[in-house]
Amino acid sequence: MGYLISRKAADQLFEKLSESHDIFAPKCFPGEGCFSDTDIIRYGQVRSLAEIEFEHRSDYSFKEALLAIHETLFYFTEDTTSVPACMDRRLLIFLRSCDLHALKRLDAIYLHNGPEDFYYKRLREKADFVLMGCEKTCDTGFCASMGTNRADQYDLYLKLNQNTVLIDCPSKSLRALINTSDAGVCEVTPDYVTENEEKVTLPENLSVESFDHPVWEAYGSRCIGCGRCNFVCPTCACFTMQDIIYQDNARVGERRRVWASCQVDGYTDIAGGGSFRKKQSERMRFKVMHKIYDFEKRFGYPMCVGCGRCDAVCPEYISYANLINELAKEEQP
Amino acid sequence: MGLDINTKKAKKNAYRISKVRGESAARIRVPGGCLKAGILGMVQEIAEKYGNGTVHLTTRQGFEIEGIRLEDIDAINEMLQPIIELLDINQTDPGTGYPASGTRNVSACIGNNVCPFANYNTAEFAKKVEKAVFPNDLHFKIAFTGCPNDCAKVRMHDFGIIGMTMPQYDPSRCVACQACIKGCRSLSVNALRLENYKVVRDTEKCIGCGVCVTKCPTRAFTRSPKKYYKLTLMGRTGKKNPRLGEDFLIWTDEDSIVKIILNTYRFVKEYIDPNAPGGKEHIGYIIDRTGFAEYKKWALEGVELLPETQIRECVYWSGIHFD
């Protein structure tokens, strides 16, 4: 059961949501792209529906709204530590179906993989999610191949038409904010795509023997190790630690965690100067195997959600989707 | 019957006097080096109808249609008209070709229409300056390049405009991957370093090339909304004292550059050697004569520099002296 409300009523709903929530959504940052006079779509706090980029997929995923790129875990002085307070308001995150499936992966890593992560959990509990439908496929996504093209675990669904807005609101607490007095009641099913231009077949018989596959060297030799594929990925969840000693007072500092990339130098460095995966081909293998093999062994479904952002961002035009298809092709009789 | 041609008039009309008696070459200016491909067909038509079928691509990004007859100038001017209009060249009398040739075609590298390193649309700025300065008989060479790589070799021009960006750094987006630091070290001037896992930019060293921005995988480094330029002055080739242009303004803007160029025309009118052959004297030699302080006084008249613009109060050139 959903509602049809006017655009004005939707703007009022947004206002109401803003009273209790910090609202994060994909938005365009003009001129902030990699190259001169190019824009970037990434997540940021929004103050109106109009600010939200509904048409194009965001270049960077929603994950930075839940997992800050750079987060202070605690401050330390000589004999005490203190944990920064969590935001007291709630969090509302606009995202697409692929990203909602990615949320399940982040939950798996941070909540269901040994001890729960304190920082993730406290923010996650405050978050509500608004599904943005996909009327048509994005150019590099392959959600249909990954079965992530539909999602039902949302709190609110919004579809903006010219003058009206369709709403589905499974969340009771959010539903209370909708002014239903002049709302039409109707059946609302979120838009989703059933087919993408990009089609991916997952290999079924990966094993440690796949380590010797020539595809790693073929693609790895083209990789420059910039880490963009990891940073845009909604499921990459790795971080590294940084202990900062304040420059004015060396007895005070903080410990941060910061996003890390398995493709960038330093990721496998250990005390004593060792490093495990020195070659880009080894790093490529590690990433891909984690996305479609290791994670699945542990949790029962692949990590990759097929959002296609890694293919769209790679400066060397490495297609992760095509790499997977290459692996699968080998298995054909 | 002998040919009776006013060569001064022909030259001013952008026709070269060929070493082959009776022949000429028609010069077509293409500001910013950027044109609709359809113009190529028009150039071809002229070359095949009136020339010897050969076109030279000039070092200043124009065309030179070779082997035309001097007596065909009027007919060729008619055929040049649609090209002149499509390229939006200032003209006084339609159908009479180019009204001047002293101020050379304003050239540019490919710029940010294509190049990932370029910090602005070079062709657009080149066209803007062309509109402001042409037609003019004074010998001015102006060139635009998108970044300090200077592929357009603007330092060999009277005015060289080099694209800059003021890097904007958001430490909360930085993952300390050091792509910017490595990029700056290997491709640029090594102006970045890591301190407490965050990037520190040496503002004295930074040349605003934008490599850090293109290398950053998280958008911690972005370009400034405002576009900045470096203006280099009085580079030149030639017989007496070829030299590279020197920095005059760093972190300057479009308006200041256009004004300074226009002011320089006034300066040259005042101080050009009245006996200069063909009324052509490189501006740099005029400044060598008047001293830089006098030039600067003229150049900066009415110019409101940005607060962040760095100005070189004195400029000294070197180069090779053969004179």
Side-chain angles (χ1 to χ4, degrees):
Chain A
M1 182 70 74
Y3 305 101
L4 178 70
I5 62 172
S6 67
R7 177 60 198 257
K8 201 177 156 203
D11 287 332
Q12 285 165 353
L13 171 62
F14 188 93
E15 290 286 314
K16 272 194 186 161
L17 288 164
S18 305
E19 287 169 15
S20 51
H21 291 73
D22 283 349
I23 304 177
F24 284 84
K27 63 175 185 175
C28 183
F29 289 77
E32 293 194 14
C34 214
F35 307 119
S36 164
D37 289 340
T38 61
D39 306 333
I40 197 85
I41 303 169
R42 63 170 176 84
Y43 275 70
Q45 200 165 351
V46 288
R47 296 194 156 64
S48 72
L49 278 178
E51 234 186 300
I52 300 174
E53 172 62 52
F54 274 96
E55 187 167 349
H56 299 105
R57 176 189 58 204
S58 62
D59 298 297
Y60 290 77
S61 86
F62 77 102
K63 76 179 171 190
E64 63 188 86
L66 269 185
L67 279 170
I69 295 176
H70 150 133
E71 180 175 21
T72 300
L73 300 184
F74 54 82
Y75 301 95
F76 51 84
T77 57
E78 286 169 343
D79 49 8
T80 60
T81 59
S82 65
V83 175
C86 187
M87 61 191 291
D88 48 7
R89 288 156 58 77
R90 288 191 68 79
L91 194 59
L92 191 70
I93 301 173
F94 280 70
L95 38 54
R96 294 176 188 278
S97 174
C98 54
D99 281 351
L100 207 44
H101 283 271
L103 176 68
K104 182 178 164 187
R105 276 71 173 167
L106 293 181
D107 285 351
I109 292 287
Y110 281 98
L111 302 176
H112 313 302
N113 185 34
E116 288 174 336
D117 183 272
F118 167 81
Y119 298 93
Y120 181 82
K121 190 180 177 205
R122 68 180 188 172
L123 204 52
R124 174 74 174 85
E125 282 171 347
K126 285 178 177 287
D128 296 312
F129 296 91
V130 186
L131 179 67
M132 307 160 77
C134 297
E135 282 178 67
K136 54 183 190 337
T137 180
C138 51
D139 55 355
T140 55
F142 46 96
C143 53
S145 300
M146 301 306 291
T148 58
N149 50 332
R150 289 189 84 165
D152 48 17
Q153 299 293 306
Y154 53 90
D155 299 299
L156 180 65
Y157 167 73
L158 282 185
K159 178 184 164 72
L160 273 57
N161 296 319
Q162 195 73 32
N163 301 310
T164 58
V165 176
L166 282 168
I167 294 184
D168 182 33
C169 189
S171 158
K172 275 187 190 152
S173 58
L174 297 185
R175 206 184 308 157
L177 302 176
I178 303 172
N179 179 1
T180 52
S181 60
D182 62 346
V185 175
C186 58
E187 206 56 53
V188 175
T189 311
D191 288 332
Y192 66 98
V193 297
T194 51
E195 202 183 4
N196 312 105
E197 280 172 38
E198 186 78 66
K199 292 177 177 54
V200 168
T201 307
L202 292 185
E204 285 170 5
N205 302 313
L206 289 179
S207 70
V208 286
E209 282 169 24
S210 313
F211 280 27
D212 300 324
H213 201 287
V215 77
W216 310 123
E217 183 55 34
Y219 280 92
S221 62
R222 292 162 50 191
C223 177
I224 57 168
C226 68
R228 281 174 175 78
C229 51
N230 298 122
F231 298 133
V232 299
C233 176
T235 69
C236 273
C238 286
F239 57 80
T240 187
M241 289 297 189
Q242 296 174 350
D243 282 348
I244 310 297
I245 308 297
Y246 296 153
Q247 285 169 329
D248 287 349
N249 181 353
R251 291 167 180 261
V252 187
E254 64 180 82
R255 172 166 292 183
R256 297 175 188 154
R257 70 176 175 196
V258 177
W259 285 5
S261 158
C262 54
Q263 307 304 298
V264 171
D265 288 348
Y267 183 82
T268 61
D269 288 0
I270 53 166
S275 181
F276 295 103
R277 292 182 290 277
K278 288 200 173 85
K279 290 172 64 182
Q280 289 303 145
S281 57
E282 295 168 326
R283 298 174 188 180
M284 182 81 64
R285 183 204 72 220
F286 174 80
K287 178 186 75 179
V288 175
M289 291 290 274
H290 192 213
K291 293 293 176 198
I292 61 170
Y293 176 68
D294 305 329
F295 184 97
E296 184 165 4
K297 273 209 303 188
R298 182 171 299 189
F299 296 104
Y301 49 91
M303 190 179 198
C304 173
V305 292
C307 73
R309 289 187 178 95
C310 53
D311 279 16
V313 79
C314 180
E316 299 301 313
Y317 285 83
I318 291 170
S319 168
Y320 159 87
N322 207 43
L323 189 159
I324 295 174
N325 283 333
E326 290 280 320
L327 284 170
K329 209 159 46 180
E330 298 283 310
E331 293 180 357
Q332 300 300 318
Chain B
M1 197 175 78
L3 267 175
D4 183 4
I5 299 285
N6 181 340
T7 58
K8 284 195 175 67
K9 192 175 157 230
K11 283 183 197 167
K12 193 182 158 178
N13 201 193
Y15 289 90
R16 187 194 285 276
I17 304 303
S18 169
K19 73 170 203 186
V20 181
R21 188 82 191 162
E23 282 193 4
S24 173
R27 291 195 283 172
I28 295 170
R29 54 196 298 127
V30 184
C34 186
L35 73 171
K36 288 276 175 219
I39 291 172
L40 298 173
M42 299 176 185
V43 174
Q44 180 188 1
E45 208 184 326
I46 300 172
E48 287 174 352
K49 187 165 180 192
Y50 289 105
N52 61 15
T54 305
V55 175
H56 174 70
L57 298 177
T58 77
T59 57
R60 301 205 61 82
Q61 299 179 320
F63 299 108
E64 198 156 326
I65 302 173
E66 297 181 15
I68 60 167
R69 302 290 310 168
L70 281 163
E71 59 263 41
D72 289 335
I73 284 177
D74 289 344
I76 292 167
N77 277 343
E78 290 289 340
M79 286 186 81
L80 287 173
Q81 192 56 27
I83 299 176
I84 288 169
E85 283 171 16
L86 280 167
L87 289 171
D88 196 22
I89 305 295
N90 292 338
Q91 200 187 23
T92 26
D93 299 312
T96 59
Y98 296 94
S101 64
T103 289
R104 300 296 198 251
N105 185 43
V106 181
S107 55
C109 75
I110 196 164
N112 82 353
N113 283 331
V114 175
C115 180
F117 296 115
N119 288 317
Y120 69 105
N121 188 326
T122 50
E124 210 170 76
F125 197 174
K127 285 174 188 168
K128 185 177 171 181
V129 166
E130 163 84 10
K131 290 302 277 182
V133 303
F134 191 78
N136 202 301
D137 294 332
L138 292 175
H139 186 258
F140 272 53
K141 287 179 173 169
I142 307 164
F144 290 81
T145 199
C147 81
N149 278 351
D150 192 8
C151 297
K153 296 166 179 54
V154 304
R155 280 188 194 271
M156 295 174 77
H157 292 69
D158 299 317
F159 295 95
I161 293 94
I162 301 173
M164 301 175 81
T165 190
M166 187 85 80
Q168 309 290 301
Y169 180 62
D170 176 356
S172 75
R173 295 194 71 79
C174 178
V175 297
C177 70
Q178 305 191 51
C180 54
I181 296 177
K182 291 175 190 166
C184 189
R185 188 187 303 141
S186 60
L187 300 170
S188 195
V189 298
N190 200 14
L192 303 177
R193 65 180 192 277
L194 200 66
E195 225 169 70
N196 250 349
Y197 297 104
K198 294 296 170 197
V199 178
V200 179
R201 180 172 65 97
D202 183 339
T203 53
E204 295 290 310
K205 262 185 138 181
C206 174
I207 56 166
C209 67
V211 161
C212 51
V213 180
T214 55
K215 293 291 173 192
C216 179
T218 60
R219 312 321 304 132
F221 265 121
T222 52
R223 285 188 167 70
S224 51
K226 220 191 271 180
K227 292 200 163 63
Y228 291 98
Y229 307 90
K230 176 181 276 190
L231 177 64
T232 70
L233 289 183
M234 307 306 144
R236 64 189 173 207
T237 55
K239 298 185 179 75
K240 296 179 187 177
N241 170 219
R243 65 190 191 190
L244 290 180
E246 292 284 338
D247 293 2
F248 176 41
L249 300 180
I250 304 163
W251 308 111
T252 188
D253 64 334
E254 273 197 19
D255 284 353
S256 302
I257 289 169
V258 174
K259 275 185 194 158
I260 287 168
I261 293 173
L262 291 174
N263 283 342
T264 304
Y265 278 94
R266 291 175 40 240
F267 166 83
V268 170
K269 269 183 206 133
E270 176 76 14
Y271 286 114
I272 193 169
D273 177 357
N275 301 317
K280 171 180 164 182
E281 189 181 24
H282 280 129
I283 314 163
Y285 290 108
I286 304 174
I287 295 175
D288 291 348
R289 203 161 54 234
T290 65
F292 183 72
E294 179 65 11
Y295 169 69
K296 193 176 70 179
K297 195 176 82 190
W298 284 73
L300 291 179
E301 198 185 314
V303 176
E304 280 177 49
L305 295 176
L306 302 172
E308 60 267 44
T309 298
Q310 293 170 14
I311 178 167
R312 296 280 181 262
E313 298 296 345
C314 295
V315 175
Y316 302 98
W317 290 270
S318 50
I320 315 164
H321 278 274
F322 298 107
D323 50 347

